[in-house]
């Protein structure tokens, strides 16, 4: 028994991100080697996704409420304005980078278009988008996983609690509000403990997800559309290196890009593995709190919002695919068409749900705007799994970069601790290596 205990402790001493990476690689090997039978492992992966999704709404509710405890209405306006402004700016930059790289590499030239089918989708009206933010029933919004509506209600309710705490004449009422906030703090800590427990199972979950995915699709689809996959990967690499690491981390934050990557790697690997920004949210929040040392008053607002509206990866993916589609049909996009694509990409990416497969639906809007055949959606669907992975990894990286910068502007980040400090970085996730 002692040898088993020592082996378990040795296993736990390895940072979780490395264990998940090994699970990913082993899953890829098994999926490619075994083929279709590997799809029988999918339930194990689905369980991991369900465990993460189970935590999303509780974490959004409790971290937002905890953030409201330290945010006055005026400061919330400042934090919200900075966060939304940065998200919009990085998404616009992402679209420009996507179009620039696509024009340089010209994916789609010489690729045989075999056709396919796709359903058309129309972009929602501005009025519908605005009204959709306000839930008719907040409990229903939480039950259905509507993050934007949930965020709106929790922010309003949290501000209400803060106002009552500061203005109520009745001491018992003020004490009641403080009790609520203390309970929220305790619930948040409990949820983080659950998050890391789920991540322990994530090694098995990621292995199963990757094995089932590659066992089902194989590499044939990826090879046939290698130009599209490669171009999007290059554009996302440029965006991460230049925008997040160069401009935001090194330039505006004044910190080491390697330190930022060290702090964000858990969320990046998880996002690449499960293809869901909202599903990765528990891990993203944990990285912001434990590694990047961002205060809850900022990350409790910025990360749930980012999982909903910050879709830089989707912007790049859709911009490149529009150029790819135009090249496929022999009608390259001119400047006017590309400006239209850019504007549409920025607006549509904000409304793209942070779940697997949503990119294909939104792509039909982009193709409609550019006057390109919708059948191309069916043609590129075969590589959707790999495109979704790299785009989602980009999204969560952007969420953490923007949150770090917004926190600096609001004096809500500890740049002397976590990955930013000179101490042992391993302390930030000591719970992972704790002895039983």
């Amino acid at each position: 028994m002692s040898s088993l205990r020592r082996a378990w402790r040795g296993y736990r001493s390895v940072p979780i991100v490395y264990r998940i990476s090994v699970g990913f690689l082993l899953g890829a090997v098994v999926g490619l080697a075994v083929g279709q039978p590997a799809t029988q492992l999918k339930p194990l992966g689905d369980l991991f996704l369900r465990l993460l999704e189970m935590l999303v709404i509780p974490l959004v509710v409790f971290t937002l409420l905890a953030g409201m405890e330290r945010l006055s209405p005026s400061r919330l306006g400042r934090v919200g304005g900075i966060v939304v402004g940065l998200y919009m700016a990085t998404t616009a930059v992402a679209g420009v980078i996507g179009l620039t790289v696509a024009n340089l590499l010209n994916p789609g030239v010489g690729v045989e278009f075999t056709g396919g089918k796709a359903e058309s989708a129309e972009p929602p009206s501005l009025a519908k988008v605005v009204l959709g933010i306000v839930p008719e029933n907040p409990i229903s919004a939480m039950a259905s996983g509507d993050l934007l509506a949930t965020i709106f209600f929790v922010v309003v309710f949290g501000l209400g609690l803060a106002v009552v705490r500061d203005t109520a004449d009745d001491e018992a009422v003020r004490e009641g509000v403080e009790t609520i906030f203390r309970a929220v703090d305790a619930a948040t800590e409990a949820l983080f403990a659950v998050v890391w427990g789920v991540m322990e199972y994530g090694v098995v979950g990621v292995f199963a997800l990757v094995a089932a995915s590659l066992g089902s699709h194989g590499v044939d689809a990826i090879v046939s559309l290698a130009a599209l996959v490669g171009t999007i990967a290059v554009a996302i690499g440029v965006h991460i290196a230049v925008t997040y690491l160069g401009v935001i981390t090194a330039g505006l934050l004044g910190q080491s890009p390697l330190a930022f990557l060290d702090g964000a790697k858990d969320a990046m690997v998880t996002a690449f593995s499960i293809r869901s920004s909202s599903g990765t949210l528990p891990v993203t929040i944990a990285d912001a709190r434990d590694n990047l040392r961002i205060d809850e008053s900022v990350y409790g607002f910025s990360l749930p919002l980012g999982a909903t509206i910050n879709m830089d990866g989707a912007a790049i993916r859709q911009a490149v695919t529009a150029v790819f589609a135009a090249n496929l049909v022999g009608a390259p996009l001119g400047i006017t068409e590309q400006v239209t694509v850019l504007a549409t990409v920025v607006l549509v990416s904000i409304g793209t749900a942070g779940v697997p497969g949503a990119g294909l639906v939104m792509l039909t809007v982009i193709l409609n705007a550019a006057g390109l055949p919708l059948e191309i959606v069916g043609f590129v669907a075969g590589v959707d799994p790999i495109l979704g992975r790299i785009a989602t990894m980009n999204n969560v990286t952007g969420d953490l970069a923007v949150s770090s910068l917004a926190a600096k502007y609001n004096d809500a980040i500890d740049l002397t601790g976590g990955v930013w400090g000179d101490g042992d970085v391993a302390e930030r996730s000591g719970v992972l290596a704790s002895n039983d």
Side-chain angles (χ1 to χ4, degrees):
M1 180 62 71
S2 60
S3 60
L4 288 176
R5 184 178 292 274
R6 284 195 298 271
W8 173 246
R9 288 177 177 175
Y11 170 79
R12 290 283 302 279
S13 68
V14 178
I16 190 68
V17 66
Y18 299 126
R19 287 183 271 149
I20 287 180
S21 298
V22 170
F24 184 94
L25 293 175
L26 290 177
V29 171
V30 170
L32 293 175
V34 176
Q36 190 66 29
T39 58
Q40 299 299 314
L41 295 170
K42 191 172 184 295
L44 295 176
D46 290 341
L47 175 60
F48 177 51
L49 295 181
R50 286 203 176 201
L51 288 170
L52 285 174
E53 290 165 359
M54 172 188 74
L55 293 169
V56 171
I57 291 298
L59 272 174
V60 168
V61 171
F62 288 114
T63 55
L64 272 175
L65 283 177
M68 292 303 100
E69 180 185 5
R70 291 184 288 276
L71 279 180
S72 64
S74 59
R75 190 170 180 219
L76 175 63
R78 172 180 166 80
V79 171
I82 290 174
V83 168
V84 172
L86 287 173
Y87 281 152
M88 292 290 291
T90 58
T91 301
V93 170
V96 170
I97 288 176
L99 287 173
T100 301
V101 173
N103 279 285
L104 290 174
L105 300 183
N106 274 322
V109 175
V111 177
E112 181 183 358
F113 178 42
T114 58
K117 293 184 179 180
E119 297 295 329
S120 177
E122 294 295 332
S125 65
L126 179 60
K128 186 175 181 180
V129 170
V130 173
L131 289 175
I133 296 174
V134 182
E136 294 180 352
N137 183 334
I139 303 302
S140 176
M142 294 177 194
S144 62
D146 188 340
L147 282 183
L148 207 54
T150 299
I151 290 169
F152 179 85
F153 171 75
V154 175
V155 167
V156 170
F157 180 66
L159 285 175
L161 287 174
V163 169
V164 169
R165 179 192 59 188
D166 296 339
T167 62
D169 295 328
D170 191 330
E171 180 68 21
V173 171
R174 293 198 299 272
E175 290 179 356
V177 172
E178 289 293 347
T179 299
I180 291 175
F181 281 131
R182 297 289 76 76
V184 165
D185 289 340
T188 302
E189 290 298 321
L191 282 170
F192 277 113
V194 175
V195 166
W196 289 119
V198 170
M199 291 307 295
E200 288 292 344
Y201 175 72
V203 178
V204 175
V206 167
F207 166 80
L209 285 171
V210 175
S213 177
L214 288 180
S216 174
H217 297 286
V219 296
D220 293 341
I222 297 175
V223 170
S224 67
L225 295 170
L228 176 62
V229 174
T231 303
I232 292 176
V234 168
I236 283 178
V238 169
H239 187 51
I240 290 176
V242 174
T243 307
Y244 302 149
L245 302 182
V247 175
I248 292 181
T249 303
L252 300 176
L253 199 60
Q255 297 297 317
S256 165
L258 292 179
F260 172 79
L261 288 176
D262 189 27
K265 64 179 182 292
D266 296 338
M268 293 173 70
V269 170
T270 303
F272 187 85
S273 301
I274 71 174
R275 294 196 298 140
S276 173
S277 295
S278 57
T280 307
L281 189 56
V283 185
T284 312
I285 290 175
D287 274 357
R289 186 185 80 153
D290 300 332
N291 300 358
L292 300 176
R293 299 299 173 92
I294 301 170
D295 190 83
E296 195 169 27
S297 62
V298 173
Y299 77 67
F301 173 79
S302 64
L303 293 180
L305 185 66
T308 306
I309 72 167
N310 184 42
M311 296 292 159
D312 292 4
I316 290 174
R317 174 184 173 183
Q318 292 167 7
V320 171
T321 306
V323 174
F324 173 80
N327 289 338
L328 275 184
V329 298
L333 298 176
I335 295 297
T336 302
E337 290 85 356
Q338 293 198 35
V339 170
T340 300
V341 167
L342 177 62
T344 308
V345 158
V346 172
L347 293 175
V348 169
S349 65
I350 293 173
T352 300
V355 296
L360 289 179
V361 177
M362 292 298 102
L363 179 58
T364 64
V365 179
I366 307 299
L367 296 179
N368 267 328
L372 295 167
L374 295 179
E375 287 78 11
I376 290 170
V377 177
F379 183 59
V380 303
V383 293
D384 180 63
I386 186 63
L387 297 182
R389 292 181 196 282
I390 57 179
T392 305
M393 181 185 69
N394 182 101
N395 294 341
V396 300
T397 308
D399 293 347
L400 288 170
V402 166
S403 297
S404 299
L405 185 58
K408 179 186 178 182
Y409 289 155
N410 287 278
D411 297 321
I413 185 171
D414 178 12
L415 293 175
T416 63
V419 295
W420 311 117
D422 296 328
D424 183 3
V425 173
E427 66 160 334
R428 70 187 184 275
S429 55
V431 67
L432 296 181
S434 61
N435 292 332
D436 293 340

